[in-house]
Amino acid sequence: MTNTAAPTADAIRDPRANELAAAGQWKLFWLRFRRHRLAVVSLIVVLALYLIAAFAQFIAPFDPNETNARFTYAPPQYVSLFYDGRFAPHVDGLEMTLNKDSMRREFTKDAENPVFIDFLAPSEPYRLLGLFTVETRLFGIRDAERGDSLYLFGADRLGRDIFSRVIYGAQISLSIGLVGVFLSLILGVAIGGISGFFGGFTDIVIQRFIELLRSIPTIPLWMGLAAAIPVGWPPLRTYFFITLIISLIGWTALAREVRGKFLSMRNEDFVIAARLDGMSEIGIIFNHLVPSFVSHIIATLTLAIPTMILAETALSFLGIGLQPPIISWGTLLQEAQNIRAVAQAPWLLFTPAAAIVLAVLALNFLGDGLRDAADPYGETS
């Protein structure tokens, strides 16, 4: 007679429980994060935006500064995938007429003269990522020598392609957020860590200084600092100075969060053990305390990037930030300051504004998902 033993507690336990019990900090972080579907979608959108910015020269069909007087304020042209029953991406041609009553150019579709689109179209040589010489773009006009138009998002007052300019503008607007957040990370972790770890008089001085910075109205401060930029500075130096201005206030919020974490952890057993083992105070901060809540720092920084992007946009829109010929979403919005231009060509406002809204929303949703995943008391299922 066979004796069948009763199942043990481990045998009837959910197999996933063993996986969670042995999971490390980053695996638990990922398991929590992937439950946030909107954050996962936002992560894909953010990665796509940064890839577009990195390969802007390849994706944009034209030079963003290339002008065409024939197509001033040309409207957006919509892509059709089929022509005469075959797959042939194209847009309808544009026929320009002059309205003698309003003295404005008016464009009508010319379906009889379609403009065909070729993928991996030849182009003038350019340096992709500053490393490789490339003579191909993602797409372009099949018969470019005919002088046809391809304005997916319309054209501006000089006949420049808005689609190409928005793609190129992503390089500045998205990178300025990363550079600004990187500077905020260094200042916030270093100053906040010192404040929370040492406490006492050091903490009092640092916190009063942070309160002083946060009490200054942001826009007037930025206007004053931006006004100090010499007019003759090259665009690259101006870019980094604007980034420094934006980062000047951004680090204070992170510093306070880091200080709070340090205050709650500086007397933990592992910190006391490291101190008894002879480790220096700086070593304890960067080898034990900071890694213990690095996921929370990542979430906080992700939420800070949209603030940096909006700050650059606001400064450039007000005319005290980046200036043409630098192309950013903020400088593109300067065209929207002209009411007549917006009334005649509303895509000048809606196109860069839509890009800003998409990037900011995606980064905010991603930051919310990362923040929830970094919560040690959150559910993992």
Side-chain angles (χ1 to χ4, degrees), residues 297-310:
I297 293 177
I298 293 174
T300 302
L301 293 180
T302 306
L303 289 170
I305 294 177
T307 303
M308 300 287 182
I309 294 175
L310 290 175

Side-chain angles (χ1 to χ4, degrees), residues 32-179:
R32 294 191 188 102
F33 175 76
R34 72 181 186 183
R35 294 177 61 244
H36 202 302
R37 299 295 178 84
L38 186 57
V40 174
V41 173
S42 298
L43 174 62
I44 296 173
V45 173
V46 169
L47 291 177
L49 288 174
Y50 277 100
L51 284 175
I52 290 173
F55 294 94
Q57 292 172 299
F58 175 70
I59 296 174
F62 305 109
D63 185 323
N65 294 314
E66 180 181 344
T67 61
N68 192 331
R70 289 178 53 201
F71 297 103
T72 300
Y73 291 135
Q77 297 171 272
Y78 302 103
V79 178
S80 299
L81 298 179
F82 297 93
Y83 184 78
D84 283 345
R86 58 188 177 87
F87 181 76
H90 68 282
V91 297
D92 292 334
L94 289 179
E95 184 177 350
M96 189 272 293
T97 57
L98 180 63
N99 188 327
K100 296 183 179 180
D101 294 330
S102 61
M103 296 306 293
R104 292 183 181 178
R105 296 183 177 189
E106 295 181 351
F107 293 90
T108 57
K109 293 182 180 180
D110 184 8
E112 299 298 326
N113 294 297
V115 179
F116 292 99
I117 300 173
D118 281 343
F119 292 97
L120 299 179
S123 70
E124 295 294 327
Y126 61 89
R127 299 283 291 177
L128 182 63
L129 301 176
L131 301 175
F132 311 103
T133 300
V134 182
E135 298 182 7
T136 304
R137 295 186 187 269
L138 179 61
F139 64 94
I141 299 176
R142 178 173 299 176
D143 299 320
E145 63 275 4
R146 288 172 45 187
D148 292 327
S149 62
L150 179 61
Y151 296 111
L152 300 182
F153 290 168
D156 65 3
R157 59 187 176 86
L158 298 177
R160 295 173 296 191
D161 179 34
I162 294 297
F163 177 80
S164 298
R165 291 177 66 78
V166 168
I167 295 295
Y168 273 84
Q171 292 183 320
I172 297 295
S173 294
L174 293 178
S175 65
I176 206 169
L178 290 180
V179 176

Side-chain angles (χ1 to χ4, degrees), residues 227-234 238:
I229 300 177
V231 178
W233 272 16
T238 304

Side-chain angles (χ1 to χ4, degrees), residues 194-208 259 263 266:
I194 292 173
S195 177
F197 188 77
F198 292 102
F201 180 75
T202 302
D203 182 39
I204 294 175
V205 172
I206 291 176
Q207 292 308 307
R208 299 297 81 77
R259 170 185 176 266
L263 287 174
R266 64 179 181 176

Side-chain angles (χ1 to χ4, degrees), residues 197-353:
F197 188 77
F198 292 102
F201 180 75
T202 302
D203 182 39
I204 294 175
V205 172
I206 291 176
Q207 292 308 307
R208 299 297 81 77
F209 177 69
I210 290 176
E211 290 171 0
L212 175 63
L213 286 180
R214 294 177 68 89
S215 66
I216 301 175
T218 305
I219 295 298
L221 174 63
W222 285 342
M223 292 178 65
L225 293 174
I229 300 177
V231 178
W233 272 16
L236 186 61
R237 188 183 303 175
T238 304
Y239 166 79
F240 281 107
F241 193 79
I242 292 296
T243 304
L244 184 63
I245 292 173
I246 295 173
S247 305
L248 188 63
I249 301 297
W251 65 270
T252 55
L254 179 60
R256 284 197 159 182
E257 294 196 23
V258 171
R259 170 185 176 266
K261 291 287 185 180
F262 274 49
L263 287 174
S264 64
M265 297 172 61
R266 64 179 181 176
N267 293 321
E268 294 287 340
D269 293 341
F270 71 92
V271 176
I272 297 174
R275 188 178 288 116
L276 293 175
D277 198 41
M279 180 172 286
S280 66
E281 304 295 335
I282 298 298
I284 293 174
I285 291 175
F286 290 101
N287 292 324
H288 293 286
L289 291 177
V290 172
S292 65
F293 58 92
V294 66
S295 57
H296 180 81
I297 293 177
I298 293 174
T300 302
L301 293 180
T302 306
L303 289 170
I305 294 177
T307 303
M308 300 287 182
I309 294 175
L310 290 175
E312 181 275 324
T313 302
L315 288 175
S316 299
F317 177 75
L318 294 173
I320 56 177
L322 301 174
Q323 299 293 326
I326 299 177
I327 303 173
S328 73
W329 291 340
T331 56
L332 292 179
L333 280 177
Q334 287 185 1
E335 295 283 347
Q337 291 180 336
N338 187 333
I339 300 299
R340 180 179 178 182
V342 174
Q344 184 177 352
W347 51 87
L348 296 179
L349 170 64
F350 296 137
T351 303

